[in-house]
Amino acid sequence: MRAARLKAQIEQTLPAAFTVYQRQESGSLPTGIPQIDNAVCGVPLHSLTEICGSNLASSGKTSILASLLAQATREHFCALVDACDNFDPASGQAAGISLPRLLWVRCGKSRGPQNGRFCRSGVESRVKLPPLEQAFKVADILLQSGGFTLIAVDLSGIPERVVRRVPLSSWFRFSRVIERQPAALVFLTQEPHATSCASLVLRVSTAVHGWGDCPALFSGNLLTQWNLNVEIVRGREKKPARSERTGFSLPTQWA
Amino acid sequence: MFACIYIPDFPVQASLLPEPAETRTALTHSPIAILDGPANLPRVFAANLAARRAGIQTGMTKLQAGLCAGAVLRNRSFAEEESAQSTLLDCASKFSPRVESTAPGVAILDLSGTKKLFARQKDSQRGTSRENSPQNEAWPRALRTITAAAAEAGFEVRIAIAANPDTAFLVARGFSANTIIPAGEEAQHLASLPIETLPLPPEMLETLNRWGIRKFQSLAALPTVALVERLGQEGLYIQKLARGAIARPLLTIEPNPDFAASFEFDDPVETLESIFFILSRLLQDLCSHLLATAQAAGELRLTIGLNVRQLQTTKRRDAAYRISPQIGQDSKDAPEGEQSEHVWKLPVPTQDKNLLFSLVRLHLEQTSFSAPIRSLRLEVVPVKPRRAQGNLFAPPAPEPEKLEITLERIRGVVGTTDSEGNDCVGAPLLLDTHRPGAFTLQRFSIVQDAYSPAHRNLSPSKNIPASTISSVRLCVPCGPSFRRELNQNSAKSTLSFSNSSPSPQSTPVIALRIFRPALETTVELDGSKPHFVRLWSCPRRVLAASGPWSSSGNWWNTAAWTREEWDVALQTPAGPGFYRIYRDRLRRQWFIEGVFD
């Protein structure tokens, strides 16, 4: 009785003190690549996902994102926040993306502050934000707005040392906001940064057997396909004791 | 029956209308006088009750009126009076389709057939049946309802209901409270009114005063023939007015097709807060007008007049914004006529003032002007409101109204256009050209998707400029694009069509990450093939190369291009990287276009 009374008193002050936090029942978006879909059941909704890969070498992260967008835009509206303006619409359409259903936000491309002097509230001239901050702010706005089933943020063009400085609280906030929405938030980075805030972390690389080998397949004078490896660094259910690897190959647009 | 809505001290109330409700309430009990006349000698044109009690009279000079402690003196604004009159007519139109704009601050509406309307309104609130409610209670309810609507619009009004419009007008003007005159009792109720209430010329008023006639009762009792002999037909007319015996049809107003509101500042303003406040008020008026006419805004246009004359000495001009001289304006007035125009095409017609205001506010917060603002003009293109329900089978999407706000907020963060003039936010649209990387951004809209299921079957020519289509016919089909089209199946042969639907069996392909702008580089050749490529200042050995693929286009104009393209596998510390490089034959320079990733 005493414990019950004590519990009631605490709940009067802190109503959510004894509430058991339950995760949303999450669905998933298929990536369109059978090997990945079989291994992780697609990209989870209500969650933050990271797809990592080198920026210098070809890793295949953009191809996976394009395939994911192609699958998602069949039935949903999606947004791509492009921090360094690297998206190629022709490649996207060749991958099957329904471009009218894709909101493309090109960060870091505006002309900068205007020359007018009058009718500015606050500061005289607006300070142009760096692309990383622009991308985060836009992602925040899109999350607040709702209605987009897939929000992809491409940060892979931003230097690694800059992304590393993003505080963990930012990733945590994103993961908590996306939990309440029927949407998937996907970050494209060079290295994993969100740590435990991400439900799924994939690291993509080119399958090389030896130094100097070229993993691509050339047919005569045509580059036709190359082989890729995907490492599941963090899965949806639990972090694997040892990361799993799966391999597949992607053809070129003209193959 | 006819109802007259009369606004006492109309110029004063019109000047208070743009103020916030709290300020308006506070100022109502302060002495306020409106000045009119030449700029060097303005005189009191109108004053409210508090000002009259404080001793301010019509015709006083500004100096005399200023002697009154606490008096607020304002210049007369015809724009404010027009706006107030428009608001009054909108308010009256809510209750009857037949409304007459009798005079400034006066509107008469025909209440024929509206008795049930007022009875039903109150009955539904009380939950009683209409049949049980006495019919003669309808007009008191009408008085209360119209008074409440006028108060909501910002007016303190007097209302009179009578069997003819002129009696209603005279009663509303003469009595200090809301009044209902039953049919047949007009003369009896009008008897006590002073003859100054009648719209008389000064000479006739002087004549009547000389005769000792002070009240309507005296005028109505005069013998008609003798009165006509002395004052003519005008005498007969005013006697009929005094008896309440004139029946005339209403001169009803036509629906105003011009959905526009404007405001001119006394002094040019330099801060956003001032114009936001006025814009909010103007939008409120426009949305009320739209609601009253059962229409919605399909497009919103804001024209901002800039006071460039003030800056002529400094010669500062903002070339980045669309500042165009006013059409049809005299060259003498050109410096005064600079204006900045902004247009919002709404995906879904709306009557929501808050939505429109948010769009305007977010846009103006990103905008700066070359000169202080002297005037605002808002114009709405009216369309029929959206009646159709959304498609139940449409994909989940942001609300169309909310999406516009979201896009405007995003533009506030990333900007509107890049250095090449392309938008920074929107849906990508491939141009129908063989030039690599040619794209544009179109307006991102979910309305087509949600309300027209067949939107994907648009023909490519609908969204593609004619010039780009002609370029396809003339372009040399020898480049990589041609190579790709040859290798694609028939479903993918619409690569350059903007609205083609994705193939249901679309398979993942290697995507290209584009460098914008392309990176300049140097290439060491081994024979005709690339051997080393300088990538970010480091020479990288070429493991494999595919090419060359030649393409060219636009040779008929200044935008000519010709290039020789290679797909190369470069050896990097992180592993092999597949890059697309090309040689610009016109500039004789190598570039890295992107990386396959």
Side-chain angles (χ1 to χ4, degrees), chain A residues 35-55:
Chain A
Q35 291 82 357
I36 297 178
D37 290 338
N38 291 337
V40 295
C41 302
V43 170
L45 295 174
H46 306 284
S47 302
L48 192 151
T49 299
E50 273 189 293
I51 302 175
C52 313
S54 168
N55 199 34

mmCIF file of all heavy atoms in Angstrom, chain A residues 35-55:
data_model
loop_
_atom_site.group_PDB
_atom_site.id
_atom_site.type_symbol
_atom_site.label_atom_id
_atom_site.label_comp_id
_atom_site.label_asym_id
_atom_site.label_seq_id
_atom_site.Cartn_x
_atom_site.Cartn_y
_atom_site.Cartn_z
ATOM 1 N N GLN A 35 19.900 -8.622 -52.307
ATOM 2 C CA GLN A 35 20.851 -9.061 -51.287
ATOM 3 C C GLN A 35 20.709 -8.248 -49.999
ATOM 4 O O GLN A 35 20.751 -8.787 -48.892
ATOM 5 C CB GLN A 35 22.288 -8.945 -51.810
ATOM 6 C CG GLN A 35 22.645 -9.932 -52.906
ATOM 7 C CD GLN A 35 22.177 -9.492 -54.279
ATOM 8 O OE1 GLN A 35 21.533 -8.456 -54.418
ATOM 9 N NE2 GLN A 35 22.484 -10.280 -55.299
ATOM 10 N N ILE A 36 20.504 -6.951 -50.141
ATOM 11 C CA ILE A 36 20.353 -6.112 -48.951
ATOM 12 C C ILE A 36 18.987 -6.346 -48.318
ATOM 13 O O ILE A 36 18.861 -6.451 -47.092
ATOM 14 C CB ILE A 36 20.538 -4.617 -49.316
ATOM 15 C CG1 ILE A 36 21.948 -4.382 -49.824
ATOM 16 C CG2 ILE A 36 20.246 -3.722 -48.122
ATOM 17 C CD1 ILE A 36 22.221 -2.967 -50.258
ATOM 18 N N ASP A 37 17.958 -6.424 -49.143
ATOM 19 C CA ASP A 37 16.609 -6.626 -48.596
ATOM 20 C C ASP A 37 16.507 -7.961 -47.862
ATOM 21 O O ASP A 37 15.834 -8.055 -46.830
ATOM 22 C CB ASP A 37 15.575 -6.553 -49.721
ATOM 23 C CG ASP A 37 15.417 -5.142 -50.258
ATOM 24 O OD1 ASP A 37 15.769 -4.208 -49.517
ATOM 25 O OD2 ASP A 37 14.979 -4.970 -51.406
ATOM 26 N N ASN A 38 17.170 -8.962 -48.370
ATOM 27 C CA ASN A 38 17.142 -10.249 -47.683
ATOM 28 C C ASN A 38 17.887 -10.186 -46.356
ATOM 29 O O ASN A 38 17.493 -10.823 -45.377
ATOM 30 C CB ASN A 38 17.768 -11.338 -48.566
ATOM 31 C CG ASN A 38 16.887 -11.621 -49.770
ATOM 32 O OD1 ASN A 38 15.697 -11.361 -49.740
ATOM 33 N ND2 ASN A 38 17.481 -12.150 -50.831
ATOM 34 N N ALA A 39 18.948 -9.414 -46.329
ATOM 35 C CA ALA A 39 19.774 -9.380 -45.121
ATOM 36 C C ALA A 39 19.168 -8.505 -44.022
ATOM 37 O O ALA A 39 19.199 -8.869 -42.844
ATOM 38 C CB ALA A 39 21.176 -8.886 -45.474
ATOM 39 N N VAL A 40 18.600 -7.350 -44.398
ATOM 40 C CA VAL A 40 18.129 -6.409 -43.362
ATOM 41 C C VAL A 40 16.658 -6.043 -43.535
ATOM 42 O O VAL A 40 16.152 -5.176 -42.813
ATOM 43 C CB VAL A 40 18.975 -5.110 -43.349
ATOM 44 C CG1 VAL A 40 20.391 -5.401 -42.958
ATOM 45 C CG2 VAL A 40 18.920 -4.412 -44.690
ATOM 46 N N CYS A 41 15.960 -6.640 -44.456
ATOM 47 C CA CYS A 41 14.530 -6.356 -44.698
ATOM 48 C C CYS A 41 14.295 -4.903 -45.082
ATOM 49 O O CYS A 41 13.299 -4.300 -44.665
ATOM 50 C CB CYS A 41 13.673 -6.705 -43.494
ATOM 51 S SG CYS A 41 13.815 -8.405 -43.019
ATOM 52 N N GLY A 42 15.214 -4.313 -45.784
ATOM 53 C CA GLY A 42 15.011 -2.944 -46.262
ATOM 54 C C GLY A 42 15.374 -1.904 -45.221
ATOM 55 O O GLY A 42 15.899 -2.221 -44.152
ATOM 56 N N VAL A 43 15.076 -0.673 -45.550
ATOM 57 C CA VAL A 43 15.390 0.451 -44.658
ATOM 58 C C VAL A 43 14.205 0.666 -43.715
ATOM 59 O O VAL A 43 13.075 0.829 -44.177
ATOM 60 C CB VAL A 43 15.657 1.728 -45.489
ATOM 61 C CG1 VAL A 43 15.737 2.946 -44.610
ATOM 62 C CG2 VAL A 43 16.941 1.565 -46.283
ATOM 63 N N PRO A 44 14.439 0.627 -42.419
ATOM 64 C CA PRO A 44 13.304 0.695 -41.486
ATOM 65 C C PRO A 44 12.655 2.079 -41.430
ATOM 66 O O PRO A 44 13.348 3.101 -41.507
ATOM 67 C CB PRO A 44 13.929 0.334 -40.140
ATOM 68 C CG PRO A 44 15.362 0.683 -40.286
ATOM 69 C CD PRO A 44 15.716 0.483 -41.725
ATOM 70 N N LEU A 45 11.336 2.084 -41.295
ATOM 71 C CA LEU A 45 10.614 3.330 -41.033
ATOM 72 C C LEU A 45 10.762 3.681 -39.551
ATOM 73 O O LEU A 45 11.170 2.853 -38.749
ATOM 74 C CB LEU A 45 9.137 3.169 -41.380
ATOM 75 C CG LEU A 45 8.803 2.935 -42.859
ATOM 76 C CD1 LEU A 45 7.321 2.651 -43.013
ATOM 77 C CD2 LEU A 45 9.178 4.134 -43.696
ATOM 78 N N HIS A 46 10.414 4.911 -39.202
ATOM 79 C CA HIS A 46 10.515 5.423 -37.824
ATOM 80 C C HIS A 46 11.960 5.374 -37.326
ATOM 81 O O HIS A 46 12.180 5.361 -36.121
ATOM 82 C CB HIS A 46 9.644 4.623 -36.849
ATOM 83 C CG HIS A 46 8.213 4.524 -37.252
ATOM 84 N ND1 HIS A 46 7.338 5.566 -37.108
ATOM 85 C CD2 HIS A 46 7.519 3.504 -37.784
ATOM 86 C CE1 HIS A 46 6.142 5.188 -37.549
ATOM 87 N NE2 HIS A 46 6.234 3.940 -37.966
ATOM 88 N N SER A 47 12.914 5.318 -38.224
ATOM 89 C CA SER A 47 14.296 5.119 -37.774
ATOM 90 C C SER A 47 15.264 5.925 -38.621
ATOM 91 O O SER A 47 14.941 6.374 -39.711
ATOM 92 C CB SER A 47 14.696 3.643 -37.880
ATOM 93 O OG SER A 47 13.841 2.850 -37.136
ATOM 94 N N LEU A 48 16.436 6.040 -38.042
ATOM 95 C CA LEU A 48 17.529 6.720 -38.740
ATOM 96 C C LEU A 48 18.451 5.643 -39.308
ATOM 97 O O LEU A 48 18.803 4.686 -38.616
ATOM 98 C CB LEU A 48 18.256 7.613 -37.752
ATOM 99 C CG LEU A 48 19.262 8.632 -38.263
ATOM 100 C CD1 LEU A 48 19.310 9.817 -37.301
ATOM 101 C CD2 LEU A 48 20.636 8.034 -38.375
ATOM 102 N N THR A 49 18.823 5.809 -40.552
ATOM 103 C CA THR A 49 19.690 4.835 -41.220
ATOM 104 C C THR A 49 20.903 5.570 -41.781
ATOM 105 O O THR A 49 20.772 6.701 -42.265
ATOM 106 C CB THR A 49 18.921 4.145 -42.366
ATOM 107 O OG1 THR A 49 17.803 3.462 -41.825
ATOM 108 C CG2 THR A 49 19.803 3.160 -43.104
ATOM 109 N N GLU A 50 22.044 4.931 -41.688
ATOM 110 C CA GLU A 50 23.257 5.506 -42.278
ATOM 111 C C GLU A 50 23.785 4.557 -43.345
ATOM 112 O O GLU A 50 23.894 3.343 -43.111
ATOM 113 C CB GLU A 50 24.331 5.702 -41.213
ATOM 114 C CG GLU A 50 24.238 7.020 -40.484
ATOM 115 C CD GLU A 50 25.459 7.233 -39.616
ATOM 116 O OE1 GLU A 50 25.630 6.492 -38.640
ATOM 117 O OE2 GLU A 50 26.235 8.142 -39.934
ATOM 118 N N ILE A 51 24.094 5.118 -44.500
ATOM 119 C CA ILE A 51 24.770 4.359 -45.553
ATOM 120 C C ILE A 51 26.123 5.028 -45.758
ATOM 121 O O ILE A 51 26.193 6.210 -46.099
ATOM 122 C CB ILE A 51 23.956 4.369 -46.859
ATOM 123 C CG1 ILE A 51 22.561 3.781 -46.607
ATOM 124 C CG2 ILE A 51 24.662 3.573 -47.942
ATOM 125 C CD1 ILE A 51 21.624 3.863 -47.801
ATOM 126 N N CYS A 52 27.171 4.271 -45.491
ATOM 127 C CA CYS A 52 28.505 4.863 -45.483
ATOM 128 C C CYS A 52 29.340 4.287 -46.619
ATOM 129 O O CYS A 52 29.155 3.131 -47.024
ATOM 130 C CB CYS A 52 29.222 4.588 -44.170
ATOM 131 S SG CYS A 52 28.206 4.900 -42.739
ATOM 132 N N GLY A 53 30.255 5.088 -47.069
ATOM 133 C CA GLY A 53 31.166 4.628 -48.106
ATOM 134 C C GLY A 53 32.175 5.712 -48.409
ATOM 135 O O GLY A 53 31.948 6.892 -48.119
ATOM 136 N N SER A 54 33.262 5.312 -48.991
ATOM 137 C CA SER A 54 34.343 6.253 -49.277
ATOM 138 C C SER A 54 33.889 7.305 -50.282
ATOM 139 O O SER A 54 33.045 7.038 -51.147
ATOM 140 C CB SER A 54 35.542 5.497 -49.823
ATOM 141 O OG SER A 54 36.464 6.411 -50.358
ATOM 142 N N ASN A 55 34.452 8.471 -50.140
ATOM 143 C CA ASN A 55 34.148 9.536 -51.086
ATOM 144 C C ASN A 55 35.148 9.559 -52.233
ATOM 145 O O ASN A 55 34.862 10.072 -53.307
ATOM 146 C CB ASN A 55 34.150 10.885 -50.363
ATOM 147 C CG ASN A 55 33.421 11.932 -51.151
ATOM 148 O OD1 ASN A 55 32.445 11.611 -51.828
ATOM 149 N ND2 ASN A 55 33.880 13.168 -51.090
#
